[in-house]
Amino acid sequence: MNLFEQAAQEELKKQAPLAVRMRPRTLEEFVGQEKVVGPGTLLRRAIENDTLSSLILWGPPGSGKTTLAYIIANMTKAHFEALHAVLDGITDIRRVVEKAKERRIYLRQKTVVFVDEIHRWAKNIQDALLPCVEEGVITLIGATIENPMFTVNPALRSRSQIFRLDPLREEDILKLLRRALEDKERGLADLNVEAEEEALKHLARVAGGDARIALNALEFAALTTPPSPDGKRYISLAVAEEAVQTRPILYDRDGDQHYDIVSAWIKSIRGSDPDAAIYWLARMIYAGEDPLFLARRLMIHAAEDIGLADPQALVVATAAAQAIERVGLPEGRLILAEATLYLALAPKSNSVYKAIDSALEEVQKGENASVPLHLRDASYPGAKALGHGKGYKYPHNFPGGWVEQRYLPPSLEGKGFYHPSPYGKERDLVRAWQERCGKKPS
């Protein structure tokens, strides 16, 4: 690199966003993730002793994955290479691996390769890393926001330790914001910024655990606030709110967040918590989830977790699905919300779910029990000669429309599949059935 290139690079660093400029350079500067890199942890000891093995850093945006990789780069004696799965491919991997082999032979130096957003590489590209990771030619550090159990090849995953990073806490982000205000070299101290405590807390809160959102919002607020007569730039709560009017929601319709939030939504309905159920629904609608997918999930849930406790729940869910097809969004949000709240408030019973699965389990045992003769079809010529329908009692010919009769094969007689709950409409249905038939459910 010549002097002109070096000067240009230094200028680019100065013009980088605040979140990039303020990226911690040492473990002492690193904020949060104490369970992963706190004093005495396995990963911290490995970094400090330069005995790192291949690893995958899994966590949401802004949680410190890339920062941690570059801290390792500053602390290791190994050569450090950085690749980005969006920009680099097989050709870049081959180049890095060949150089790593040369370095290993001629300089006795290890190579650490950092791959940002490794989940974006197709499986065949990930496979190109496998031999050199297995042979120790490179030490891999992969960073991903997606669950590596689904997005990283099993063979590559088995040769790497997985460390999960959590969203940063509000107090962690507050610490980073204050550090940025005080830092003269990389931060905002030269702008003479004074921020209200409530403004900083607001930025930390709405960032949702993503330090980049908070830091870049702080910089935006500082740069767009004119200095007062005393030379200071005052950032009030109102200014902070304006700086982050709309925050992107972490949600991938094909990834981990999709499944986690859908799970939280369904479990909130099942747990009869309307506030939580409507919140998770709002998260998915805001993030652009397919409304027809949400409607299908409501229909399934109505049968699985409410069932006969309130048969009307399935009617409501089905009507919502049909209405969504006709109306769409944004008005359809009202339809999904009504169905979600109805299902959350409805009494719960999983007797339908348990009954059909219990019966299917019996069927899968393979006994293939014969249909009793009196229940067999007797509508075609010759059926009666075979004994089909003989002895069948037509219930409508008896008082109350019910008569004692065997309907299960003899081998299953007395076997109970349906176990009703004592809740809601199901309780009334069972009581009426008991009165009519003089029976008790199994």
Side-chain angles (χ1 to χ4, degrees), residues 74-355:
N74 292 335
M75 296 182 67
T76 183
K77 293 177 183 176
H79 180 80
F80 187 85
E81 289 275 359
L83 298 174
H84 198 293
V86 173
L87 303 173
D88 303 313
I90 289 284
T91 303
D92 303 284
I93 292 174
R94 288 173 179 162
R95 170 183 57 79
V96 167
V97 169
E98 285 305 313
K99 291 290 185 183
K101 288 178 179 177
E102 293 176 8
R103 221 173 276 115
R104 188 183 186 191
I105 295 170
Y106 299 115
L107 302 177
R108 305 292 182 190
Q109 187 183 26
K110 295 189 293 184
T111 300
V112 173
V113 178
F114 170 57
V115 182
D116 203 2
E117 299 196 61
I118 192 171
H119 61 276
R120 291 183 179 271
W121 268 346
K123 300 293 186 204
N124 64 310
I125 302 179
Q126 291 183 28
D127 283 339
L129 286 170
L130 186 58
C132 47
V133 169
E134 192 168 33
E135 295 168 14
V137 174
I138 67 168
T139 299
L140 171 69
I141 302 176
T144 175
I145 62 171
E146 299 284 349
N147 190 333
M149 300 301 177
F150 304 127
T151 57
V152 177
N153 280 5
L156 193 59
R157 199 173 64 230
S158 69
R159 289 158 178 80
S160 308
Q161 291 180 300
I162 298 174
F163 293 93
R164 182 165 189 175
L165 279 63
D166 295 321
L168 292 179
R169 298 166 300 183
E170 287 184 25
E171 54 264 37
D172 296 328
I173 296 177
L174 274 171
K175 190 173 183 179
L176 292 171
L177 292 174
R178 293 184 183 117
R179 183 186 294 173
L181 291 173
E182 296 167 1
D183 193 301
K184 291 184 178 180
E185 178 190 352
R186 300 177 294 156
L188 302 173
D190 286 344
L191 292 178
N192 203 9
V193 178
E194 187 171 310
E196 291 179 3
E197 185 65 16
E198 286 304 312
L200 295 179
K201 286 182 178 178
H202 175 75
L203 294 177
R205 183 170 57 254
V206 300
D210 189 333
R212 278 180 300 211
I213 289 176
L215 285 166
N216 290 336
L218 177 65
E219 182 177 39
F220 180 64
L223 292 175
T224 55
T225 300
S228 297
D230 61 0
K232 290 187 176 182
R233 298 172 188 255
Y234 292 98
I235 299 178
S236 63
L237 175 58
V239 172
E241 289 172 340
E242 194 176 3
V244 282
Q245 285 184 0
T246 303
R247 184 178 68 83
I249 294 292
L250 177 60
Y251 189 83
D252 187 336
R253 284 172 58 175
D254 298 318
D256 214 33
Q257 279 289 315
H258 163 81
Y259 294 106
D260 286 347
I261 293 180
V262 169
S263 175
W265 178 50
I266 293 301
K267 286 173 181 172
S268 298
I269 297 174
R270 181 183 296 137
S272 299
D273 189 328
D275 290 319
I278 206 73
Y279 169 76
W280 294 119
L281 174 66
R283 281 278 295 269
M284 291 185 288
I285 291 174
Y286 185 88
E289 182 58 79
D290 179 5
L292 294 177
F293 165 78
L294 299 175
R296 288 193 296 272
R297 288 301 308 171
L298 286 171
M299 287 191 289
I300 295 166
H301 179 72
E304 179 181 352
D305 287 304
I306 297 169
L308 294 175
D310 185 357
Q312 188 68 18
L314 183 56
V315 177
V316 170
T318 304
Q322 293 172 344
I324 278 291
E325 285 185 343
R326 297 184 181 185
V327 175
L329 294 176
E331 291 84 355
R333 74 191 190 283
L334 303 173
I335 296 163
L336 290 170
E338 179 178 340
T340 293
L341 290 172
Y342 187 98
L343 269 57
L345 294 169
K348 305 298 186 291
S349 169
N350 66 348
S351 63
V352 170
Y353 169 81
K354 291 170 72 175

Side-chain angles (χ1 to χ4, degrees), residues 9-28:
Q9 195 173 70
E10 290 299 319
E11 187 60 30
L12 282 174
K13 284 182 181 179
K14 291 179 182 178
Q15 294 174 2
L18 180 64
V20 175
R21 301 200 310 269
M22 289 301 301
R23 180 170 282 158
R25 296 162 293 188
T26 65
L27 287 173
E28 286 67 33

